Amino acid sequence: SAVISQKPSRDICQRGTSLTIQCQVDSQVTMMFWYRQQPGQSLTLIATANQGSEATYESGFVIDKFPISRPNLTFSTLTVSNMSPEDSSIYLCSVVPNTNTEAFFGQGTRLTVV
Amino acid sequence: DAKTTQPTSMDCAEGRAANLPCNHSTISGNEYVYWYRQIHSQGPQYIIHGLKNNETNEMASLIITEDRKSSTLILPHATLRDTAVYYCIVRPSSNTGKLIFGQGTTLQVKP
């Protein structure tokens, strides 16, 4: 199993600013992912955070808007840049400790942009 | 990855079995069926997964049809704490771990 800590748990931000969300795992994991959950919607994968290389983004998400860092096997950050009210969502970190094991999720960061 | 279809919502009486169906008619031979649930304001939680055979753990049972085109998640004795959105996800064995979520089924357990 894996225990994931996300910070902050929630924030209210002004439009045009940026917020960096941290994801800390209690063990080394190879695979780490970031998801977005817009109000009343399901989860959408933003990107795969690759250790030691650039993140792999899904269609519709770009590095300039959602830069991701993965400095080691237990930590990653997601930045939501130049925020607008449409970025108001829950952002979740997920890890998969080994191939073909289940994914574990953090509790999410609830972001409101005003 | 294969697409899944689930009913939008279901109700279940407390103490009764909750049977949640999922259609995955385009599933291929190396793809697993995974179930997760998301209780309000929490991150998704793994429930169970299977390939061909039926599976059971302390949380639930998973029944997969012989042709693997559909499955049913069974919560044998639903409680109010089982009220959540349940997601059925098809995932290749070679998958890196990323999950493609559908809209899921909102299960409301009623007293």
Side-chain angles (χ1 to χ4, degrees), chain B residues 24-53:
Chain B
H24 32 79
S25 58
T26 60
I27 194 170
S28 58
N30 69 341
E31 291 181 317
Y32 288 77
V33 179
Y34 277 76
W35 283 84
Y36 286 80
R37 73 180 182 183
Q38 187 176 25
I39 297 171
H40 184 61
S41 297
Q42 298 183 21
Q45 175 191 23
Y46 166 80
I47 302 172
I48 199 167
H49 74 282
L51 182 63
K52 297 179 188 177
N53 301 321

Side-chain angles (χ1 to χ4, degrees), chain A residues 31 35 37 42 100-101 103, chain B residues 36 38 91 93 96 99 101-102:
Chain A
M31 294 169 279
Y35 291 82
Q37 187 170 29
S42 182
N100 289 328
T101 60
Chain B
Y36 286 80
Q38 187 176 25
R91 177 183 164 191
S93 60
T96 60
L99 301 176
F101 285 80

Side-chain angles (χ1 to χ4, degrees), chain B residues 13-16 75 77-83 107 109-110:
Chain B
E14 188 179 17
R16 304 296 295 269
L75 307 179
H77 305 288
T79 71
L80 298 179
R81 289 179 296 179
D82 292 320
T83 293
L107 174 68
V109 180
K110 299 185 174 181

Side-chain angles (χ1 to χ4, degrees), chain B residues 2-94:
Chain B
K3 180 179 172 60
T4 62
T5 304
Q6 299 177 250
T8 302
S9 63
M10 294 181 64
D11 289 343
C12 178
E14 188 179 17
R16 304 296 295 269
N19 297 282
L20 291 89
C22 179
N23 182 286
H24 32 79
S25 58
T26 60
I27 194 170
S28 58
N30 69 341
E31 291 181 317
Y32 288 77
V33 179
Y34 277 76
W35 283 84
Y36 286 80
R37 73 180 182 183
Q38 187 176 25
I39 297 171
H40 184 61
S41 297
Q42 298 183 21
Q45 175 191 23
Y46 166 80
I47 302 172
I48 199 167
H49 74 282
L51 182 63
K52 297 179 188 177
N53 301 321
N54 299 336
E55 302 287 343
T56 296
N57 62 21
E58 65 278 4
M59 289 182 68
S61 294
L62 175 60
I63 308 298
I64 303 174
T65 58
E66 193 169 341
D67 63 7
R68 303 210 320 123
K69 293 184 177 182
S70 65
S71 61
T72 301
L73 178 74
I74 301 172
L75 307 179
H77 305 288
T79 71
L80 298 179
R81 289 179 296 179
D82 292 320
T83 293
V85 180
Y86 287 77
Y87 296 101
C88 169
I89 299 169
V90 171
R91 177 183 164 191
S93 60
S94 59

Side-chain angles (χ1 to χ4, degrees), chain A residues 34-110:
Chain A
W34 287 97
Y35 291 82
R36 180 178 73 181
Q37 187 170 29
Q38 294 176 298
Q41 301 296 314
S42 182
L43 283 77
T44 301
L45 180 65
I46 297 173
T48 302
N50 301 309
Q51 195 266 328
S53 64
E54 198 169 277
T56 305
Y57 290 84
E58 298 297 310
S59 176
F61 298 96
V62 296
I63 188 171
D64 289 347
K65 177 66 176 178
F66 298 101
I68 289 171
S69 78
R70 178 91 192 269
N72 56 53
L73 293 176
T74 64
F75 186 78
S76 177
T77 66
L78 168 75
T79 298
V80 186
S81 302
N82 188 23
M83 289 183 285
S84 68
E86 292 71 34
D87 295 318
S88 297
S89 296
I90 299 172
Y91 293 85
L92 297 113
C93 171
S94 172
V95 303
V96 179
N98 296 293
T99 303
N100 289 328
T101 60
E102 64 268 29
F104 296 88
F105 287 82
Q107 291 304 297
T109 296
R110 184 180 295 272

